[in-house]
Amino acid sequence: METTLRGVGVSHGVAIGEVRHMGTAVLEPPAKQIPAEEAEREQGRARQAVEAVAADLVARGNLAGGEAQHVLEAQAMMAQDPELMADVDRRIAVGSTAERGVYDAFAAYRALLANAGEYLAGRVADLDDVRNRIVARLLGVPMPGVPDSDQPYVLIARDLAPADTALLDPTLVLGFVTEEGGPTSHSAILARALGVPAVVALPGAGEIAEGTVVAVDGSTGEIFVEPSEEKRAEMESASAARKAALSAVTGPGATSDGHKVPLLANVGGPADVPAAVEAGAEGVGLFRTEFLFLDDSKQAPSEEKQIAAYRAVLEAFPEGRVVVRVLDAGADKPLDFLTPADEPNPALGVRGLRSLLDHPDVLRTQLTALSRAAEGLPVYLEVMAPMVADRADAKAFADACREAGLRAKFGAMVEIPSAALRARSILQEVEFLSLGTNDLAQYTFAADRQVGAVSRLQDPWQPALLDLVALSAEAARAEGKSCGVCGEAASDPVLACVLTGLGVTSLSMGAASIPYVRATLAKHTLAQCERAASAARAADSADEARLAAQAVLSGE
C-alpha cells in the first residue's frame, strides 16, 4: 500500500528504485587491558591506521575532484589531529588496545564538543566516519559504507559522511535519503554538485525495509513508499517534462518579460569551474577561498600559490563577473595559525572578517594575490568579506582593500541579522551586498545549520528570513547598488523567483541547479515574482510561504 513520507528536499530530481541500506557502523571494540610492554606496538598500530585512513580520504578526494576534494582533505586533517592522537597515545599507555584507544578518544572529543555547545558538533557525521574507518582498519573488518550492488538503487542511511557522498556512482545510486542532516550539510551540498536527487532529515527512514520500492522527489522532499503504477507514471512524466524544459531554455538568466537576473556559480576552486561553464554560469557569485587554506592548517598558502589558484578561476570567465570571498576561517573551519583553540562557541566568536582583522598580514597577502591574479584579465573582479556585522567592519575591509592596491569592487556578506537591519549604513562603505542565507538563517533562528533536529528553522522559506532579504535588497536599491544571494536558497527554482521579486539582483548556486533556476525564471514575469514574494512574506511558516508562492506562480 502506497504511503507518503516527507523530509527536506535538498537536490532536484526524481529517483525510483529499490532501497539499499548503508553498511552497518563499526561495533564498539572490547575494553580489554594490554600489558605495558605492548603499549608501544599498539601505539604504532594506531598511527599506521590513522595515516592509512587519511591517505584513503585524500585519494578519494583526488578521484572526486571539485568541492568534494576539499571536504575530504579537511576530513583527512581531522583524522590526523595532533590533540586527538596524543589522547589516543595516552589511553594506550595506560592499557587500552589501539582500537579501544581510538574509539574512546573520539568519544571524548565528541562529548567535549557537545557539552561546550561548539559549532563543530554539527560535523558529527564527519567525526564518526573518521573514527569508524580507523577502528574498522584496526579490527580488520570491512569499512562501513555504500553497499555493493550491480543494480541501481535508492540509498538510505542515518547520515552520509562526505567520504561516502563524494564517490557515489550516479549510474547506480539513483538518489539517497537520510534520517539526519540539513539543507546546508556537506552531504546536501555534495549531492547537488553530483546532480543526485536527495532528501534529508526524514525521521524513520531507516525503518524502510531493504528491497522496498520507493519514489524520491528531491525537489519537494516527498518519499512515496511502494508507489502505485499511477504515481510512478506521474512522477516519471513530470521528471521527463522537467528535463525537456531545462534543455529548451538557454542563455542568461531572465524573467519571461526580460528582467535580467544573472545566474552565477558557487565554486571552491579551479576543479569546480568546468561544471559551472557547462551549466552556462554567467560568472562566479561565490568563490570560497578557504578551501585553499585548509590544505595546511599550520600556515597560510604562499602568495604565489594563491595567485595560481585565483587566476585559474578568473581566466575561465572572460568578461564575466567573479565574486571572491576572502578567507572565512573559524567555527567549522578552524586554522591553527589563525583561529583561537579555546573559544566556548566559535560560531559566535572570532570568525571570518574578525579573524582577518586580527591577522592583517594574512588578509593583506590574500588581497595582494587577488590583485596580481587579475592583472591583464578582462574579468570583472569583486571581493567581499564574510561575517560583516556593521559599518565599522565594512570600512575596515574596504580600507584594507585600498591599502593592498586592489582594483575591484569591495562588498560585504550579509550573514548576521545586524547587517541586514543596517544594510544601508554598511553600503556607505562598500559597493555591493551578498546574502549568505545559510548562516543568516543560522544566526536569525539560533539553529545550527548542521543539526537535523532544527532543520525546519534552517528552511530558507522562513518568512522572517525573507524579511531580512527584503530589507537588504531595499537598502541596496535605495543606494543604487547590487544585492545578490549566494546561499543555498538560490538553488531552489521557486524560491529563486521569490528572491527576484524581493529585489535581489543576482543568484549564485551550485552548477547543477543553474538549469532548473534558469528554466523556472523564464516562465514568470517580474510582476508575478513580486506577487509571489509578497504572498510568501505574508505567511506565518515556511510551508505556508512555499505554498502561497507556488499558488501565485501557478496562477491559482
Side-chain angles (χ1 to χ4, degrees), residues 114-204:
N115 292 337
E118 295 224 17
Y119 183 81
L120 278 171
R123 296 292 188 220
V124 78
D126 301 23
L127 188 67
D128 287 350
D129 182 61
V130 171
R131 177 203 65 201
N132 290 348
R133 290 175 185 278
I134 298 171
V135 172
R137 189 171 189 90
L138 288 164
L139 290 174
V141 300
M143 292 283 182
V146 178
D148 291 327
S149 176
D150 295 330
Q151 299 299 317
Y153 60 91
V154 173
L155 178 64
I156 290 185
R158 183 170 185 81
D159 204 347
L160 282 171
D164 298 312
T165 317
L167 293 185
L168 291 180
D169 182 350
T171 64
L172 286 177
V173 181
L174 302 172
F176 68 75
V177 181
T178 66
E179 294 190 52
E180 298 293 333
T184 60
S185 65
H186 273 157
S187 292
I189 292 170
L190 294 178
R192 285 187 284 270
L194 288 166
V196 177
V199 173
V200 302
L202 180 66

Side-chain angles (χ1 to χ4, degrees), residues 163-470:
D164 298 312
T165 317
L167 293 185
L168 291 180
D169 182 350
T171 64
L172 286 177
V173 181
L174 302 172
F176 68 75
V177 181
T178 66
E179 294 190 52
E180 298 293 333
T184 60
S185 65
H186 273 157
S187 292
I189 292 170
L190 294 178
R192 285 187 284 270
L194 288 166
V196 177
V199 173
V200 302
L202 180 66
E207 298 172 11
I208 303 174
E210 185 94 359
T212 303
V213 174
V214 296
V216 179
D217 190 326
S219 299
T220 65
E222 291 175 305
I223 310 293
F224 301 95
V225 181
E226 299 287 9
S228 64
E229 288 299 322
E230 291 78 11
K231 173 58 70 175
R232 293 176 67 161
E234 174 191 327
M235 293 183 72
E236 288 169 349
S237 175
S239 179
R242 188 180 296 164
K243 289 179 180 177
L246 293 180
S247 60
V249 181
T250 58
T255 58
S256 61
D257 54 343
H259 175 72
K260 293 183 178 180
V261 187
L263 302 181
L264 312 171
N266 294 344
V267 304
D272 294 333
V273 168
V277 173
E278 184 180 350
E282 297 166 62
V284 172
L286 173 62
F287 180 0
R288 301 182 179 97
T289 61
E290 59 268 19
F291 289 121
L292 181 63
F293 287 75
L294 289 171
D295 287 345
D296 183 354
S297 69
K298 303 297 182 185
Q299 60 183 357
S302 68
E303 185 175 318
E304 295 304 321
K305 182 177 180 179
Q306 292 189 52
I307 290 170
Y310 303 151
R311 194 170 182 88
V313 174
L314 297 176
E315 286 177 336
F317 295 96
E319 306 294 339
R321 177 186 178 198
V322 175
V323 184
V324 178
R325 179 175 70 190
V326 295
L327 176 60
D328 183 13
D332 63 331
K333 293 167 286 191
L335 294 171
D336 293 346
F337 67 89
L338 195 69
T339 48
D342 56 352
E343 286 189 298
N345 191 338
L348 300 180
V350 183
R351 178 189 168 189
L353 180 61
R354 299 167 186 175
S355 293
L356 292 174
L357 294 179
D358 280 350
H359 298 81
D361 54 323
V362 175
L363 177 58
R364 187 182 309 109
T365 298
Q366 185 171 24
L367 295 174
T368 302
L370 284 166
S371 180
R372 290 180 58 193
E375 286 176 0
L377 297 179
V379 69
Y380 295 94
L381 175 62
E382 301 185 9
V383 182
M384 61 185 181
M387 300 298 290
V388 171
D390 56 15
R391 182 172 179 173
D393 279 351
K395 183 179 187 305
F397 177 65
D399 287 346
C401 289
R402 295 187 190 96
E403 289 169 9
L406 186 62
R407 299 181 65 181
K409 284 188 175 181
F410 317 141
M413 290 197 71
V414 177
E415 302 165 284
I416 303 173
S418 64
L421 294 168
R422 300 290 295 172
R424 197 159 183 181
S425 171
I426 287 172
L427 284 166
Q428 304 309 304
E429 304 294 343
V430 295
E431 299 173 77
F432 69 94
L433 300 176
S434 184
L435 286 140
T437 51
N438 307 346
D439 271 322
L440 186 58
Q442 171 173 252
Y443 292 123
T444 299
F445 297 104
D448 191 318
R449 56 188 282 190
Q450 299 298 325
V451 176
V454 294
S455 61
R456 78 172 186 86
L457 296 172
Q458 268 293 329
D459 192 326
W461 280 96
Q462 286 285 355
L465 188 67
L466 298 180
D467 288 344
L468 293 175
V469 173

Side-chain angles (χ1 to χ4, degrees), residues 59-152:
R60 284 168 176 259
N62 291 336
L63 285 172
E67 188 166 308
Q69 180 174 3
H70 300 297
V71 171
L72 290 171
E73 287 174 350
Q75 200 179 15
M77 289 169 55
M78 181 185 290
Q80 298 168 302
D81 181 272
E83 290 188 16
L84 263 174
M85 284 310 302
D87 192 21
V88 171
D89 283 343
R90 283 194 295 271
R91 291 173 187 275
I92 294 173
V94 295
S96 288
T97 61
E99 47 267 36
R100 188 70 204 192
V102 168
Y103 187 90
D104 288 342
F106 272 80
Y109 186 47
R110 195 178 194 268
L112 177 66
L113 294 178
N115 292 337
E118 295 224 17
Y119 183 81
L120 278 171
R123 296 292 188 220
V124 78
D126 301 23
L127 188 67
D128 287 350
D129 182 61
V130 171
R131 177 203 65 201
N132 290 348
R133 290 175 185 278
I134 298 171
V135 172
R137 189 171 189 90
L138 288 164
L139 290 174
V141 300
M143 292 283 182
V146 178
D148 291 327
S149 176
D150 295 330
Q151 299 299 317

